[in-house]
Each structure stands twice: as structure tokens, then as C-alpha cells.
């Protein structure tokens, strides 16, 4: 393999470039990125950036050693196609990058609320999204956050810390119940109320009201919530449209084996865009740690031309909200027995283990980092 193109120049893409060099690849390396910025970190966007305690310079992922990557950076130019026969990545500016190997690391795009675009309606994925939302929050608006998942909860938490009138709307009976199970999700839902944030569950958004600028959110049950700013935290879709017609199989993410190899030889996929086969089924992780850890495995397989390594770590993510850190690792399934093993949910500090057939299947901690680290090891084992 004489040349590799990494498409998507963010967390997973940078990790792939580093892994290629670390594993001895000394051919031509090109990183293609749709955004004009060098790789930056996204988790602070919904936390410190909204609070105004971090700015763009604090997000940089590159360090001085990355100069040794000797890579060609094609930033601000999205890839528009992959021609597997010519082994070439086509770019929006009409140029192409010829490459024997391709790493797909194009991440995900935020889902948007249906309807015509209205001023005051925000998503949160990029530096620009966070800057725009932060700007809107400084004028003291009434905020409605649509979606009570992690990004919605973090945005609501930042709004509450800024003293804003904040409502979270969640279509499901309880936010995060699918991930954490109803009992533990209820403890996380309590965090909203404790911070003075209204949480409205079990009703979706019917439409946004306003001409040119959002004025209110109308719920499916007819209620109208006045809003100056709306944040859509309703998930993200894999950025894989550019692969249409390439032969790379896509089904809610680029379909990969347990080592990141796709249906096309010489093409691997990593990070939020990738759906890897795991012992628990096929999973698109959408977590920072997976985007950091998958590239070394995928690159090894790319260079070997075969699946010689698989990624087997249980999924892990964290979320910082309302002054506590929520951490979760493993895979919960319906029917798991969940036990609080340390602390007290009423005190907003506890660790819980999900058990299946007598073994730990997942671990949750709220503001209990040391217990979490200890319990997580039992999962890995
Ligand atoms: C606001 C926010 C907060 C988060 N907080 C946490 C957290 O607390 N904990 C946690 O575990 N995870 C968190 N995450 C998730 C974590 O940031 C992601 O899992 C991680 O960014 C995935 O990295 P990635 O490189 O796969 O994708 P991305 O970071 O999405 O990067 C993909 C890159 O590819 C580019 N791209 C897209 N299409 C093309 C194309 N056609 N051609 C070229 N380039 C393209 C994109 O512009 C982007 O720069 C958060 C995510 C967000 C958005």
C-alpha cells in the first residue's frame, strides 16, 4: 500500500493518521476534511463553550508532534464520491485523491427539526454551531431544548447555569430510558428538576411557530411553549451520503466487520460514521472513546489487507451535566437486574451495576468516578 486517504479530518480521522504512521506506513498520506479547521474536540461544545469558559483555541486536537505525520491536508473540501475501481476519492472542488487505501471517518450530521428554517433554531455539532448558540444565549432568551438525550441535557444544563428559563421536551416517557433503563434514567431525569429546568416527557414537537424567527414550540398535545431560542438535540445521522454508488455498504452507518473493514477491500471506517460488528450486535457507537480507539485496529487491518484484529472493548461514554459527571460502560439489555452498589441516587452521587446471568453487563456512575473506574474493569475482564 503506497498511498492512503483519510476522509474526515476530526477525532477519528486524526487518530487514523497517527495510527498509520505509528504502525510504520511511510507512503503518501492525505487527510480530507469538509470543515476548514484542523481537527478539534467536540465534547466541550455542549459544555464549556456554551458556558463561555472555553473558546476555539482550547479545542485543538493536534499537537506539535503531528507535524511528523508528513500528511497533505485538504481542509474545507468535502469528499463527494469514492471510485473504487480507480481507487480515488472525488472532492467537491473537482479534484481527486488517488489512494490504495481509504479510511472513512466522516462522522455524523445533526438531525434537524422539520419545517422551513427559522432564526433562533440551533443544532450543536460544530464550532460554528456552538458559537452561534452561545451568542444567542447571552441575550437571556427563553430556551426550549428538543430532545432529552445527552447533548440536549448538557445544553439545558448550560442554559440553567446561565440563569435562563429552560424547558426540555422529550417525546419518550423518560429521557435516556433506552440506554440506562427506566429506573436509572429516572435518577438522571431528576437532575433537570433539581436545577429548575422543566422536563416535559411523552409528547413530541408538532411544529415550530414564527415567521422568519421562532416564537414558540407547539407540542403534539397542543400545548404552546414560548421560545426565543430552540436547541434541537434529536440525534445525528451518519455522514455517509458521499459513498452512494461506491459499493461500500451503508445501513445507518458504514457497515463494518469486527475490525472496521467495509464491503470494499482497502476501505475501512471508524468513529461515528461506522457501524462495527461487536459481540453484542452491530453498533454505531457515537462516543468519543470509540472514535479514539477504533482507528488503531482499523488501520492494522487496512495495512494487513485482512481482519487480523478486532475491537472488543465494551462501549463507554461520559456526560457532564448539572455539575455531575455521568459515566456509562457496557451494554444494558431489557431484563438486566440493576443494583446501586455505592452512594445514593438521592444525593446525586452513586454507582450502579447492571447484572445479567450473574455477571456485570454494564456500569453507571453519577459523580462517582473512582468507583466507576474500578467497576468498569470487571466488565473488561
Ligand atoms: C456537542 C457534542 C458533545 C459531545 N460530548 C460527548 C461526551 O461528553 N462524551 C462522549 O463520549 N462523546 C461526546 N460526543 C461525541 C464525540 O464527540 C464523537 O463521538 C466524536 O466527535 C466522533 O468523532 P468522528 O471523528 O468519528 O466524527 P466527527 O467528530 O463528526 O468528525 C467527522 C468529520 O468529518 C467531516 N466530514 C463529514 N463529511 C465529510 C465529507 N464528505 N468529506 C470530508 N469530510 C467530511 C466533518 O465535517 C467532521 O469534521 C459529543 C459530540 C458532540 C457533537
Amino acid at each position: 500500500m503506497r498511498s492512503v486517504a483519510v476522509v474526515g479530518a476530526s477525532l477519528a480521522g486524526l487518530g487514523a493518521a497517527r495510527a498509520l504512521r505509528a504502525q510504520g506506513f511511510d507512503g503518501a498520506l492525505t487527510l480530507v476534511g469538509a470543515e476548514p479547521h484542523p481537527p478539534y474536540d467536540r465534547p466541550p461544545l455542549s459544555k464549556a463553550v456554551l458556558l463561555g469558559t472555553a473558546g476555539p483555541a482550547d479545542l485543538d486536537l493536534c499537537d506539535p508532534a503531528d507535524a511528523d505525520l508528513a500528511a497533505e491536508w485538504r481542509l474545507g473540501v468535502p469528499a463527494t464520491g469514492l471510485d473504487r475501481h480507480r481507487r480515488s476519492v472525488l472532492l467537491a472542488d473537482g479534484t481527486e485523491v488517488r489512494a490504495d487505501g481509504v479510511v472513512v471517518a466522516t462522522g455524523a450530521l445533526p438531525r434537524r427539526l422539520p419545517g422551513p428554517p427559522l432564526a433562533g433554531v440551533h443544532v450543536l455539532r460544530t464550532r460554528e454551531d456552538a458559537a452561534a448558540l452561545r451568542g444567542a444565549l447571552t441575550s437571556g432568551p427563553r430556551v426550549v431544548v428538543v430532545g432529552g438525550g445527552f447533548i440536549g441535557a448538557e445544553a439545558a444544563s448550560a442554559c440553567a447555569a446561565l440563569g435562563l428559563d429552560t424547558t426540555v421536551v422529550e417525546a419518550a416517557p423518560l429521557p435516556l430510558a433506552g440506554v440506562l433503563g427506566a429506573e436509572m434514567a429516572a435518577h438522571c431525569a431528576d437532575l433537570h428538576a433539581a436545577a429548575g429546568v422543566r422536563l416535559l416527557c411523552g409528547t413530541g414537537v408538532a411544529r415550530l411557530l414564527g415567521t422568519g424567527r421562532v416564537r414558540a414550540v407547539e407540542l403534539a398535545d397542543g400545548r404552546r411553549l414560548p421560545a426565543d431560542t430552540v436547541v434541537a438535540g434529536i440525534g445525528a445521522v451518519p455522514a455517509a451520503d458521499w459513498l452512494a454508488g461506491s459499493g461500500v455498504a451503508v445501513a445507518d452507518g458504514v457497515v463494518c466487520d469486527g475490525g472496521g473493514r467495509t464491503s470494499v477491500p482497502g476501505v475501512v471506517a471508524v468513529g461515528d460514521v461506522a457501524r462495527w460488528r461487536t459481540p453484542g450486535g452491530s453498533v454505531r457507537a457515537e462516543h468519543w472513546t470509540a472514535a479514539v480507539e477504533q482507528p488503531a485496529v482499523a488501520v492494522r487491518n487496512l495495512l494487513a489487507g485482512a481482519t487480523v484484529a478486532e475491537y472488543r472493548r465494551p462501549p463507554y461514554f461520559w456526560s457532564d451535566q448539572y455539575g455531575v459527571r455521568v459515566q456509562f460502560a457496557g451494554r444494558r439489555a431489557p431484563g438486566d437486574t440493576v443494583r446501586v452498589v455505592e452512594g445514593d441516587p438521592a444525593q446525586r452521587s452513586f454507582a450502579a451495576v447492571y447484572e445479567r446471568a450473574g455477571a456485570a453487563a454494564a456500569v453507571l456512575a453519577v459523580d462517582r468516578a473512582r468507583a466507576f473506574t474500578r467497576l468498569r474493569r470487571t466488565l473488561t475482564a
Side-chain angles (χ1 to χ4, degrees), residues 6-15 31-47 61 74 76-81 89-91 104-110 124-126 129-130 150-151 154 236 239-243 270-274 285-292 294 316-320 325-326:
V6 176
V7 187
S10 185
L11 184 65
L14 177 64
L31 277 109
V32 178
E35 294 184 77
H37 316 290
Y40 62 89
D41 211 18
R42 284 174 218 276
L45 298 178
S46 49
K47 308 172 181 74
L61 283 172
R74 303 287 309 270
V77 202
T80 51
V89 176
L90 314 173
L91 306 191
V104 176
T106 42
L109 300 168
L124 199 43
R125 184 83 200 176
T126 65
D129 294 338
F150 288 112
I151 291 190
E154 290 182 353
D241 285 359
W242 67 279
L243 290 167
V270 291
D272 282 14
V273 74
E286 287 195 90
H287 305 320
W288 191 92
T289 305
V292 167
Q294 287 175 346
Y316 164 70
F317 63 81
W318 81 94
S319 171
D320 295 327
R325 170 157 288 196
V326 178

Side-chain angles (χ1 to χ4, degrees), residues 2 30 32 40 57 68 87 102 127 138 187 215 217 227 234 260 286 289 298 302 309 313 330 333 338 347 370-371:
R2 299 300 314 139
T30 308
V32 178
Y40 62 89
D68 297 340
R87 301 226 71 88
V102 174
R127 267 167 62 161
T138 51
H187 295 313
R215 206 166 32 80
V217 175
I234 50 175
E286 287 195 90
T289 305
L302 178 71
R313 296 258 292 168
V338 55
Q347 303 297 317
R370 282 172 66 181

